[in-house]
Amino acid sequence: MKSYIVLGMMLAAGLFAGCSGDKPGKRTVHHVMCVRPLPSGTETVRSFSGTVKEMREISLGFKTPGQIRQVYVKEGDRVGEGQLVAVLDDADYRLGVEALQVQADQLEQEVERMKLLYEAKSISANDYEKAVARLRQLKVQLQVNRNKLDYTRLHAPVSGYIQSVNFEPAEMVDAGTPVVTLLDMDRLEVELDIPVELYRQRDRIDGIFCYPGQGKDTVAMKLLSITPKADGTQLYRMCLAFGSPVTDKFTPGMNAEIGIRMVSDEEAGVFTLPVHAVVREKDEVYVWTVAGDSTVHKVRVSLQGMDGKGQAVISSGLKGDEQVVRAGVNVLQENEKVGVMDGPKKTNVGGLL
């Protein structure tokens, strides 16, 4: 009797297993949650004083000499790209263009007549080619004079502000003489001098910002360049650019307080992760990272310990730009394709599940 009961239980178990199993050939896709490693370096902020300056200063001058007829701007004016700034007296230039135009029209008619004679074999090919060459040369001279006429009008190459006007109407100027000075303020920059020790640790710079002096908000700065040669006082010139328009807060010539955030040497390259993202296997410590093709890979790391917030401190093995699996690490296999969840649900308070 007992044997019949055991046999019945085995058959029932087999039927249950057959009904509850996955369909043949279907593979379960594991879903994971990821996190970025956070820098664990001890950061310090060093303050410096810099000077706000325009992107560039442009001296505008005519490309041809002449007498100034009119200046259309004054110091402090805002000008747009292509705006007319000043003009020269162009009477003589117009006469030169007109004289050459008359000669070119006459010679062009003459060349047309010679073409008919050449086709009728009444003149030689050499005579006809000489006439064509004279006409081409005359048209080149005409274009040169037209260009000089255009050069009597001075336009702003970029938008900006007029810093200075150096000449008045009726004054004579030579070609290239600066008539006005234009400040290109499409982008404001800040120049400051940094000491030798900061120059040597420039690879430890973690961020640069500026205090606009209005509240506690700061303005992000971008590093443009650091001159690799020290001046006589052993200072290096650093040039920064504002990450956003700040013409309402700064103007060229103003002082600006700059903060440079530094990561200490001994803590550089150290990151923190949630404890559950770190897996121990015998004597090996590793984390799972998700590649761009949604496959997971085991990365060996060095565990330094725990920080004051209960986070695992990773001293080596990570670059800081990886996607590290923080939930679901115990069911993964190398090169397995996974689904990445956006984040913890509202019912999962603290993202613990």
Side-chain angles (χ1 to χ4, degrees):
M1 183 65 178
K2 291 183 178 180
S3 61
Y4 287 111
I5 295 174
V6 173
L7 180 60
M9 293 176 63
M10 293 176 62
L11 290 174
L15 289 172
F16 178 77
C19 294
S20 62
D22 293 337
K23 294 181 180 179
K26 185 177 180 181
R27 185 176 180 181
T28 302
V29 177
H30 295 114
H31 287 76
V32 298
M33 293 178 61
C34 296
V35 67
R36 295 279 185 181
L38 296 177
S40 177
T42 303
E43 294 184 338
T44 58
V45 176
R46 301 189 61 179
S47 297
F48 297 90
S49 180
T51 304
V52 181
K53 63 183 291 290
E54 66 282 353
M55 181 179 176
R56 52 183 170 170
E57 181 179 302
I58 306 174
S59 296
L60 301 181
F62 292 99
K63 296 176 68 175
T64 188
Q67 185 181 35
I68 296 179
R69 188 178 70 190
Q70 186 66 44
V71 178
Y72 295 101
V73 296
K74 60 182 183 297
E75 294 180 2
D77 282 356
R78 166 79 179 179
V79 296
E81 182 178 353
Q83 182 175 333
L84 185 63
V85 174
V87 293
L88 295 176
D89 184 359
D90 60 359
D92 293 339
Y93 291 102
R94 289 184 180 277
L95 290 175
V97 171
E98 185 177 350
L100 286 175
Q101 184 67 61
V102 171
Q103 295 180 36
D105 293 342
Q106 180 182 3
L107 186 56
E108 190 168 7
Q109 295 175 2
E110 183 178 343
V111 169
E112 288 294 330
R113 291 193 296 268
M114 294 184 68
K115 182 179 180 181
L116 297 176
L117 295 174
Y118 170 68
E119 292 175 350
K121 300 187 183 300
S122 297
I123 60 173
S124 64
N126 186 43
D127 291 339
Y128 174 68
E129 291 173 356
K130 286 181 178 179
V132 172
R134 286 199 306 271
L135 177 60
R136 188 180 304 165
Q137 183 178 10
L138 192 58
K139 286 185 176 181
V140 170
Q141 295 176 359
L142 176 60
Q143 186 59 49
V144 170
N145 277 29
R146 285 174 176 168
N147 291 344
K148 289 182 178 180
L149 179 60
D150 291 338
Y151 296 157
T152 61
R153 301 172 65 84
L154 184 61
H155 297 269
V158 295
S159 300
Y161 289 88
I162 301 298
Q163 182 183 29
S164 62
V165 178
N166 305 321
F167 290 89
E168 297 292 334
E171 290 188 281
M172 298 293 297
V173 293
D174 201 355
T177 302
V179 177
V180 298
T181 303
L182 176 66
L183 299 180
D184 183 359
M185 294 177 57
D186 282 345
R187 184 186 71 197
L188 291 179
E189 300 175 355
V190 174
E191 285 187 346
L192 63 150
D193 295 321
I194 59 174
V196 176
E197 60 270 19
L198 180 56
Y199 176 78
R200 291 174 177 170
Q201 298 176 1
R202 59 191 182 279
D203 57 335
R204 303 299 185 195
I205 296 177
D206 187 49
I208 306 176
F209 52 90
C210 177
Y211 302 100
Q214 299 177 2
K216 297 182 179 180
D217 295 335
T218 59
V219 180
M221 306 291 293
K222 295 186 294 185
L223 177 61
L224 296 179
S225 63
I226 302 178
T227 304
K229 181 179 179 180
D231 60 14
T233 57
Q234 293 300 296
L235 296 175
Y236 293 80
R237 177 60 53 90
M238 174 183 284
C239 186
L240 310 172
F242 289 97
S244 58
V246 290
T247 52
D248 58 331
K249 300 182 179 71
F250 295 98
T251 58
M254 289 180 61
N255 292 330
E257 185 179 357
I258 302 298
I260 301 179
R261 188 181 298 112
M262 305 289 295
V263 178
S264 61
D265 293 348
E266 64 273 10
E267 296 291 339
V270 180
F271 301 94
T272 61
L273 287 171
V275 177
H276 300 295
V278 181
V279 181
R280 284 183 176 273
E281 193 174 272
K282 297 181 180 180
D283 295 333
E284 184 176 313
V285 180
Y286 63 89
V287 297
W288 289 99
T289 61
V290 181
D293 58 355
S294 298
T295 58
V296 292
H297 303 279
K298 184 186 294 186
V299 177
R300 188 172 181 177
V301 297
S302 297
L303 180 62
Q304 182 173 310
M306 305 287 290
D307 64 4
K309 299 179 181 179
Q311 299 284 305
V313 180
I314 307 299
S315 59
S316 65
L318 296 177
K319 297 179 181 179
D321 57 353
E322 300 92 344
Q323 271 195 313
V324 179
V325 178
R326 66 180 294 269
V329 295
N330 297 321
V331 295
L332 301 178
Q333 296 182 1
E334 184 70 19
N335 293 321
E336 177 184 353
K337 226 173 188 27
V338 298
V340 179
M341 299 174 64
D342 294 335
K345 303 298 183 182
K346 294 182 179 179
T347 55
N348 182 16
V349 179
L352 300 177
L353 300 180

